[in-house]
Amino acid sequence: MYQLESVAFLIPIASEQAAKWNFWLYAVSTAGLAASMAAWWNPGLLLSGAAATISIGGYAGIVSASLKKAPNRDAMFRFVRSAHVYLPLAVTVGWLLIVAPRVPGLRNWIEALLVTHIVLAAGGFFTFLIIGFSFKLLPMFTLSHGFSVRLRDWTFGFAHAAIWLIILGAWTHVAPVTVLGGIAGLATFALHLFHLREILAKRLRKKIEPTLRAVIVAGAAGLIGSAGFILAPGIRSPKVWAGVAALYLLGWMTLAVMGYAYKIVPFLIWTRRYSQRAGKEKVPLIGDLISPEQPRPVLWAFAVGLIVLTAGIAWMQSWAAAAGGTVVSLALGVFCFHLLTVVDLGKIGREMRGND
């Protein structure tokens, strides 16, 4: 994210030193949080959760301070800035979930807190972040120019409305409010897909790579996931809701991140290691770091596995959920392996020792 904001907004990080220290706080706190969850150790949950909350708040603060230097306050800026407001809110509510059983005033609102935490994190942070950066990344990777931007303000408004209407519905238990939130979410993703179509229609690169097709499929998954909230009054089974959540979290967020990461990571690594030497000596091309076709089977396997997983959860077929989950896990494992080969841990070690 630090790299993305620097490239997308052409601004420096507000404090690289603070970002470095915050990285170690985050790494230690998440490791402690995972261990405490595995052991059901409440003191560890409280301490590690509080440290993670502080760390993520610090990260959001560094990014927000950096964004103040952005020369343009366009739709991408507003989406990314909003994402970094929602992130600390989501983590704070997550920490409240830990203490809620011991606080009389919160004890009866655990379900509403859980919904609020998920919506702020998945809908507020990740959705705003992905949509916002799509305005920059998709045109950059397809060499697209002259596309329409006239409806982006509507997308921004519908996205905020979806977040707060769904949260309000969770706290008031008024079904029509949740339905309105689902309609706003549906409008958000419909407009997002419209924007992707407008960008692709003006592209100079005729071939759409598998990684960018994955971003479009991810938007469609978000559209379907949002439709679940419109059907909320008729959905009583927790299993069905688990299926909807899996489709949104994995189909929208994870698939979009995978698609963009396959493009972003090689670009950033090449820029860092080879751009200054290009033209002076023989250096690898970005395509040499990872082939454009290499992610295709990974993304296909992930999508098929997700469909089987979601169906297995929703219709309570454990064999299908296990099979789909296994395929999704294997696809994610290969994805991580691909990125690690691009990053090259040996070189990263030397660069980190150089205090990069």
Side-chain angles (χ1 to χ4, degrees):
M1 283 307 310
Y2 290 130
Q3 292 294 324
L4 264 183
E5 69 155 2
S6 298
V7 172
F9 296 104
L10 301 177
I11 54 175
I13 298 171
S15 174
E16 290 192 31
Q17 193 63 37
K20 291 172 185 176
W21 281 104
N22 198 53
F23 164 77
W24 291 111
L25 175 61
Y26 182 69
V28 172
S29 64
T30 49
L33 198 58
S36 300
M37 285 180 175
W40 291 100
W41 185 41
N42 285 332
L45 287 171
L46 290 170
L47 182 60
S48 300
T53 302
I54 293 168
S55 174
I56 292 177
Y59 155 76
I62 293 168
V63 172
S64 298
S66 304
L67 288 174
K68 290 181 179 179
K69 303 172 186 176
N72 297 319
R73 304 301 173 96
D74 55 6
M76 179 176 68
F77 172 85
R78 294 195 298 274
F79 268 97
V80 174
R81 181 179 59 181
S82 296
H84 287 89
V85 173
Y86 281 125
L87 177 61
L89 288 177
V91 176
T92 302
V93 174
W95 190 78
L96 287 175
L97 273 169
I98 297 173
V99 302
R102 289 175 170 77
V103 179
L106 293 176
R107 195 173 297 157
N108 297 327
W109 297 100
I110 291 179
E111 182 179 340
L113 283 169
L114 179 61
V115 172
T116 302
H117 171 64
I118 294 172
V119 171
L120 288 174
F125 177 62
F126 281 105
T127 297
F128 273 72
L129 204 63
I130 294 168
I131 291 177
F133 276 122
S134 291
F135 297 149
K136 180 75 173 184
L137 296 175
L138 196 62
M140 182 173 71
F141 291 131
T142 58
L143 300 180
S144 181
H145 302 278
F147 45 83
S148 173
V149 298
R150 65 184 184 277
L151 295 177
R152 290 184 177 179
D153 289 339
W154 283 94
T155 309
F156 185 70
F158 277 124
H160 277 298
I163 298 295
W164 294 108
L165 284 170
I166 292 172
I167 290 174
L168 182 61
W171 285 86
T172 61
H173 301 289
V174 177
V177 175
T178 304
V179 172
L180 286 175
I183 293 172
L186 203 66
T188 300
F189 281 100
L191 287 170
H192 174 59
L193 289 170
F194 170 79
H195 292 136
L196 297 186
R197 178 179 175 276
E198 291 284 295
I199 292 169
L200 294 175
K202 299 290 184 177
R203 71 188 187 278
L204 296 180
R205 287 183 175 173
K206 296 304 178 184
K207 185 178 181 180
I208 303 176
E209 296 178 10
T211 51
L212 300 181
R213 290 186 184 276
V215 173
I216 300 168
V217 173
L223 187 79
I224 297 169
S226 296
F229 288 99
I230 299 176
L231 305 173
I235 299 178
R236 300 298 180 189
S237 171
K239 296 291 184 181
V240 175
W241 275 111
V244 171
L247 181 64
Y248 191 92
L249 296 173
L250 292 170
W252 160 238
M253 289 165 37
T254 306
L255 187 58
V257 170
M258 288 173 68
Y260 279 134
Y262 267 125
K263 299 292 292 182
I264 294 166
V265 174
F267 170 76
L268 292 177
I269 291 294
W270 186 91
T271 301
R272 173 65 184 83
R273 288 182 179 154
Y274 304 111
S275 61
Q276 298 299 319
R277 295 153 50 191
K280 302 175 184 177
E281 58 183 276
K282 186 177 181 180
V283 299
L285 301 174
I286 295 178
D288 294 331
L289 299 180
I290 185 167
S291 165
E293 293 298 316
Q294 198 170 344
R296 185 191 295 274
V298 178
L299 296 171
W300 267 106
F302 182 89
V304 172
L306 176 61
I307 292 171
V308 176
L309 171 65
T310 302
I313 293 173
W315 278 279
M316 293 178 281
Q317 299 294 322
S318 59
W319 65 269
T326 300
V327 174
V328 166
S329 299
L330 290 172
L332 285 171
V334 177
F335 162 74
C336 293
F337 173 76
H338 282 167
L339 293 194
L340 286 174
T341 58
V342 172
V343 169
D344 192 337
L345 293 181
K347 292 180 180 179
I348 281 289
R350 291 194 298 272
E351 289 163 353
M352 288 185 71
R353 286 194 295 272
N355 206 28
D356 190 351

